[in-house]
Amino acid sequence: MPRHARVHGWLLGTLIALGGTDAQAGHSAQPAELSASRVVVSRKAAPDTGRGNRPIPPGYWSNPDWPSPVDDEAQHLFLLFDILEYRPTNLLSSNPHSMTQSGNDSNAGGENENPSYWWDMEGWYGGDYNRLWFKSEGQQDSAFKADYDIDFQLLYGRFLQKYYDFQIGGRVEAQTYRQASVVRGLLTIGIQGLVPYDYDVEALAFVAQNGAVSARVTMTKDLLLTQQLIVQLRMEANAAIQKVPEFTTGSGFNELELGLRIRYEFWREFAPYVGVSYGKSFGETATLVRDQGGDPEQLRVATGIRLWF
Amino acid sequence: MSLGVSAGAARWFSGCATRPPTPASLALTGSQVPLQGDVIDLVIGHRHFIVDDQAAEAVAINGTVPGPVIRLREGQRVTLRVKNQLDEPTSIHWHGLLVPAVMDGVPGVSFGGIPPGETFVYRFPILQSGTYWFHSHSGCQELLGMYGAIIIDPAVPEPFRYDRDYVVVLSDWSPEPPELRMGHLKKWAGYYNFQKRTASELLADAGRVGWLPALKDYLRWDRMRMDPTDFADITGYSSVYLVNGRSPTTNWTALFDPGERVRLRVINAASMTFFDLRIPDLAMTVVQADGQNVQPFIVDEFRIGPAETYDVIVELPHDRAYTIFAETMDRSGYARGTLAPRPGMTAEIPPRRPRPTRTMEDMGMRMDMGGDEHMDMSDTAMPPAQIVMPEAAGSGMGHEHHHPVEQPSGTKFDATPRRSRIPGAEPVKHGPDDHGTGNQQVAEYSWNRMHEPGRGLGGDGRRVLAYTDLASLAPNIDRREPSREIELHLTGQMERYLWSFDGQKYSDAPAPIHLHYGERVRLTFVNDTMMEHPLHLHGMWMELENGHGAFLPRKHTVIVKPAERLSVAVHADAPGRWAFHCHLLLHMEAGMFRVVAVTDPAA
């Protein structure tokens, strides 16, 4: 049966197998055959590769004590201060006497420099698909609020649709209203991720404990001037269904903030920046801001640090 | 500190190839003497490792990075006693060696690992010859320097001649703890890329091709949420690239006498780096790939992926120095060594080439479909698709050429065909499965790209090795047509640094891929990602189905290019559980890993 015989020989230091045809599975019943130099085991028509068939020790196939070969479920902690800045003065109200349209003399602070701060941080702890998100934003004397406005969110995030985190959780917001602090809890539900054209987008809806519904959309985009000098464009918009005067919220589309910040990444994690931010509140919200002595339209120079770890 | 190469000790004359190597006549790596014999002791411990005045903690084998060269002989039975002096478990995997499954050294797959303070004894017969290597398969120890070279001298003379040989272990080194690197990438995928496209490049491109096409191209990548400069997850920003443990400034040097032929055993032990290696003014004859003899092929440059090895022979007639120049694929750094007649001699270090950019082809888009206007922003032109047949690859190296016997079809004895079909030569449209949330995109069309040297290479007059140039010197033992095909998709999400097969990381798909003992199976890899992945199958050869008939090259690690469809034939001749994974170690650690189980015939 030359068709199934195999001759092994050494030629120029390499094993040259001659005469082996592509055996079909149907021929697997062929017994082992002797060739000129060695025994060829014909097992399921497989040629002998000289490796033998060493028995596997019992218990080898599954051993629960063994570790995982890879650590692909590691948890990570991420904290990003996207905005951490000082904003010296509102360029649009530098002359308080020009701001007479409201006729509201409670704008006594207009005479002063009214510096403000703003932070916007977020972070998560978790793995690839499930994360615990935390976010906090705080600002003072913005186009949206005469005095301080601080919130904190704790959300569960689930990775969805290749680019997005679905988020749900709670938010606590504290503001001032007539020199007194007011606090409320809200339910947060939303989505965050990277949309086409490389914009980071966060869209959240909030339901306050009294049922008032509001929403916020934030969008940022990085443009690289050089590898380390980066322009960040930022847009934040707020809207609400019900009017909630204690939280300076009118109904409808009520606020827009546009920012342009130029940062220099000394390290990826550490980037001082300068920028400008333009904020404007509309309709009922603008009236509420003016009533509390704030500027519903603000243009501010900002200087800060973008940090993450 | 000497350069570690003594002219006398480093010389190995194997010109007649019958003289057995002796301990005093072996090439050295670093300052190490090769270990040989039937019993070899290895000790794993921490060591202060200093690169360019920057010290960091490394995981060393017998106190050095790389570890010692282990020199074995085909046919011997070796015992390797590995003592763990770390405070964490360790392991050693013998990369490319055909060992029994229980000796393969992958914790969680072949054994439980080596606990701190304990010694594990590996025992196996040496069934092969060539250049291989060994490294830790535990956690990120390999990223910290735990790797070394293995040379196995053949039982019979080799079919090529050389006067001496050197091991060239390429690697990447960073003082940053590996967990931190992974964290950076999980949080900020572009963390290490300082070659992104910027405003000034947009201006330059606009000047070259016009504003509208340039803007269109930039917007197109933005629309896809992809970065066309993504060639390396970890770059020269944080890494130094080493030759035998030495940085470009400390310049590892190999000595030769003018007129000699030198064999370089190039091993890419880097954890995250592809290298494009060339020696300016020297042609290299590739004689082995992944330790296996190939039909000699002359090149000026070759790309070597993590875990691959190539053995090349260079002729050095002149009394001058040559630079071994291994640029990283993303051009952010390089490894450098020197071939010199005398210590201290150096040659010019060539400038690095500009970093390449991805094209729509890499995204799996067919430019000839739909008449889509395509602007290739890349500076490198692709050579025409062609298959260099082995007949054209004769090099007069002294080996006998096997000429195919022209016989009418149906003749039983024409069993050494020189040509075969390349699976995936025609583009294949992707199926409806988009591999779920864990996968960013699919290659709409995938096709075989083995004839391409790779993005960033070619088009500059250099002869660059392509996978279709590799043909086994000996005919394949197993020449059955694979009885079935297993298709695996390489998947990932760059933004989150998720890497997987078929959209599932290992922990989500721990069930093994089953092979039947003795069967010949075709594994078809479809790369849905935009990056090259070096895939490594433990325990069994992958015969690269690159069109060479009965002379398919045998590899333990194959690079799959973006949007490529590449097939290998595997003879499942080793029962047991075997690891199969991407050898970019952070991809592996992120979940691009599977177990392949070859069913025990006795079970």
Side-chain angles (χ1 to χ4, degrees), chain A residues 9-35:
Chain A
W10 296 102
L11 180 60
L12 287 170
T14 55
L15 181 66
I16 310 290
L18 300 170
T21 57
D22 289 352
Q24 301 301 309
H27 299 125
S28 60
Q30 292 297 329
E33 294 174 279
L34 275 175
S35 73

Coordinates of all heavy atoms in Angstrom, one line a residue, chain A residues 9-35:
Chain A
G9 N 13.3 10.4 6.1 CA 14.8 10.4 6.0 C 15.3 11.7 6.3 O 14.6 12.8 6.3
W10 N 16.6 11.8 6.5 CA 17.2 13.0 6.8 C 17.9 13.5 5.5 O 18.6 12.8 4.9 CB 18.3 12.9 7.9 CG 17.6 12.5 9.2 CD1 17.6 11.3 9.7 CD2 16.9 13.4 10.1 NE1 16.9 11.3 10.9 CE2 16.5 12.6 11.1 CE3 16.6 14.7 10.0 CZ2 15.7 13.1 12.2 CZ3 15.9 15.3 11.1 CH2 15.4 14.4 12.1
L11 N 17.7 14.7 5.2 CA 18.4 15.3 4.0 C 18.7 16.7 4.4 O 17.9 17.5 4.8 CB 17.4 15.3 2.8 CG 18.0 15.9 1.6 CD1 19.2 15.1 1.1 CD2 17.0 15.8 0.5
L12 N 20.0 17.0 4.4 CA 20.5 18.4 4.7 C 20.0 18.8 6.0 O 19.7 20.0 6.2 CB 20.1 19.4 3.6 CG 20.8 19.2 2.3 CD1 20.1 20.1 1.2 CD2 22.3 19.6 2.4
G13 N 19.9 17.9 6.9 CA 19.5 18.3 8.3 C 18.1 18.5 8.5 O 17.7 19.0 9.5
T14 N 17.3 18.3 7.5 CA 15.9 18.5 7.7 C 15.1 17.3 7.4 O 15.5 16.5 6.6 CB 15.4 19.6 6.8 OG1 15.7 19.3 5.5 CG2 16.0 21.0 7.1
L15 N 14.0 17.2 8.1 CA 13.2 16.0 7.9 C 12.4 16.2 6.6 O 11.6 17.1 6.5 CB 12.2 15.8 9.0 CG 11.3 14.6 9.0 CD1 12.1 13.3 9.1 CD2 10.3 14.7 10.1
I16 N 12.6 15.3 5.7 CA 11.8 15.4 4.4 C 10.9 14.2 4.3 O 11.3 13.1 4.3 CB 12.8 15.4 3.2 CG1 13.9 16.3 3.4 CG2 12.0 15.6 1.9 CD1 13.5 17.8 3.3
A17 N 9.6 14.5 4.3 CA 8.7 13.4 4.2 C 8.2 13.3 2.8 O 7.9 14.3 2.2 CB 7.5 13.7 5.1
L18 N 8.3 12.1 2.3 CA 7.9 11.9 0.9 C 6.8 11.0 0.8 O 6.6 10.1 1.6 CB 9.1 11.3 0.1 CG 10.4 12.2 0.1 CD1 11.5 11.4 -0.5 CD2 10.2 13.5 -0.7
G19 N 6.0 11.2 -0.2 CA 5.0 10.1 -0.6 C 3.7 10.2 0.2 O 2.8 9.4 -0.1
G20 N 3.6 11.1 1.2 CA 2.4 11.1 1.9 C 1.3 11.9 1.1 O 1.5 13.0 0.7
T21 N 0.2 11.3 0.9 CA -0.8 12.0 0.2 C -1.8 12.5 1.2 O -1.8 12.2 2.4 CB -1.6 11.0 -0.8 OG1 -2.1 10.0 0.0 CG2 -0.7 10.5 -1.8
D22 N -2.7 13.4 0.7 CA -3.7 13.9 1.6 C -4.7 12.9 1.9 O -5.6 12.6 1.1 CB -4.4 15.1 1.0 CG -3.4 16.3 0.9 OD1 -2.3 16.2 1.5 OD2 -3.8 17.3 0.3
A23 N -4.5 12.2 3.0 CA -5.4 11.1 3.4 C -6.7 11.7 3.8 O -6.9 12.7 4.4 CB -4.8 10.3 4.5
Q24 N -7.7 10.9 3.4 CA -9.1 11.4 3.7 C -9.5 10.7 5.0 O -9.0 9.7 5.5 CB -10.1 11.0 2.6 CG -9.7 11.6 1.3 CD -9.7 13.1 1.3 OE1 -10.6 13.7 1.8 NE2 -8.6 13.7 0.9
A25 N -10.5 11.3 5.7 CA -11.0 10.8 6.9 C -11.4 9.4 6.8 O -11.3 8.6 7.8 CB -12.1 11.7 7.5
G26 N -11.9 9.0 5.7 CA -12.5 7.7 5.5 C -11.4 6.6 5.6 O -11.7 5.4 5.7
H27 N -10.2 7.0 5.5 CA -9.1 6.0 5.5 C -8.5 5.8 6.9 O -7.5 5.2 7.1 CB -8.0 6.4 4.6 CG -8.4 6.4 3.2 ND1 -8.3 7.5 2.4 CD2 -9.1 5.5 2.4 CE1 -8.8 7.3 1.2 NE2 -9.3 6.1 1.2
S28 N -9.2 6.3 7.9 CA -8.6 6.4 9.2 C -8.5 5.0 9.9 O -7.8 4.9 10.9 CB -9.5 7.3 10.1 OG -10.7 6.8 10.2
A29 N -9.1 4.0 9.3 CA -9.0 2.7 9.9 C -7.7 2.0 9.6 O -7.5 0.9 10.0 CB -10.2 1.9 9.5
Q30 N -6.8 2.6 8.8 CA -5.6 2.0 8.4 C -4.8 1.7 9.7 O -4.6 2.5 10.6 CB -4.8 2.9 7.5 CG -5.4 3.1 6.2 CD -5.4 1.8 5.4 OE1 -4.6 1.0 5.5 NE2 -6.4 1.7 4.6
P31 N -4.2 0.5 9.8 CA -3.4 0.2 10.9 C -2.0 0.9 10.9 O -1.6 1.4 9.8 CB -3.2 -1.3 10.8 CG -3.3 -1.6 9.3 CD -4.3 -0.6 8.8
A32 N -1.4 0.8 12.0 CA 0.0 1.4 12.0 C 0.9 0.6 11.0 O 0.7 -0.6 10.8 CB 0.6 1.3 13.4
E33 N 1.7 1.3 10.4 CA 2.6 0.7 9.4 C 4.0 1.0 9.6 O 4.4 2.0 10.2 CB 2.2 1.3 8.0 CG 0.8 0.9 7.5 CD 0.5 1.6 6.2 OE1 0.1 2.8 6.3 OE2 0.6 1.0 5.2
L34 N 4.8 0.1 9.2 CA 6.3 0.2 9.3 C 6.8 0.9 8.0 O 6.5 0.5 6.9 CB 6.9 -1.1 9.5 CG 7.0 -1.7 10.9 CD1 7.6 -3.0 10.9 CD2 7.8 -0.8 11.8
S35 N 7.6 1.9 8.2 CA 8.2 2.5 7.1 C 9.7 2.1 7.2 O 10.1 1.4 8.0 CB 8.1 4.0 7.1 OG 8.9 4.6 8.1

